[in-house]
């Protein structure tokens, strides 16, 4: 892994094994910028250009992370949980 890379994961689509998603998490914008200019990233781009279909590229920027406290707050706000009368209901 390159400096500043907090994680890198490759996901294969269960319905289309030729499709995949690569997610990367970077400590800072400067670390991401350095990665995008790197030889390793240029190699990835070259491989993507050989694809039979035009790849979809998307950059998602996340401002922060939260944990279980978000779920706990939502549960408290919703009040007590009542079991659905029909087990086939989703909710």
């Amino acid at each position: 892994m390159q400096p500043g890379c907090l994680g890198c994961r490759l996901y294969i689509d269960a319905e289309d094994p030729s499709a995949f998603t690569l997610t990367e998490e970077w400590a800072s914008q400067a670390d991401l910028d350095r990665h995008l200019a790197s030889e390793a990233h240029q190699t990835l781009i070259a491989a993507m250009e050989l694809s039979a279909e035009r790849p979809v590229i998307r950059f998602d920027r996340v401002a922060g992370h939260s944990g279980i406290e978000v779920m706990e707050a939502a549960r408290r706000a919703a009040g007590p949980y009542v079991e659905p009368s029909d087990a086939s209901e989703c909710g």
Side-chain angles (χ1 to χ4, degrees):
M1 287 201 324
Q2 295 182 5
C5 182
L6 303 177
C8 180
R9 291 163 191 82
L10 180 66
Y11 300 96
I12 304 297
D13 188 310
E15 295 177 8
D16 181 1
S18 68
F20 65 90
T21 299
L22 175 66
T23 63
E24 299 175 334
E25 184 177 0
W26 295 92
S28 69
Q29 183 65 48
D31 292 325
L32 173 59
D33 292 345
R34 190 171 31 261
H35 168 66
L36 294 176
S38 73
E39 187 174 323
H41 185 72
Q42 297 307 314
T43 300
L44 175 63
I45 295 298
M48 289 169 44
E49 289 174 346
L50 296 174
S51 175
E53 294 181 35
R54 184 179 179 145
V56 175
I57 300 173
R58 185 179 83 200
F59 288 84
D60 294 325
R61 298 178 64 167
V62 178
H65 297 282
S66 298
I68 196 166
E69 67 275 5
V70 172
M71 293 187 305
E72 290 170 344
R75 290 176 69 190
R76 280 193 302 276
Y81 176 74
V82 177
E83 187 71 35
S85 58
D86 181 357
S88 67
E89 292 180 29
C90 293

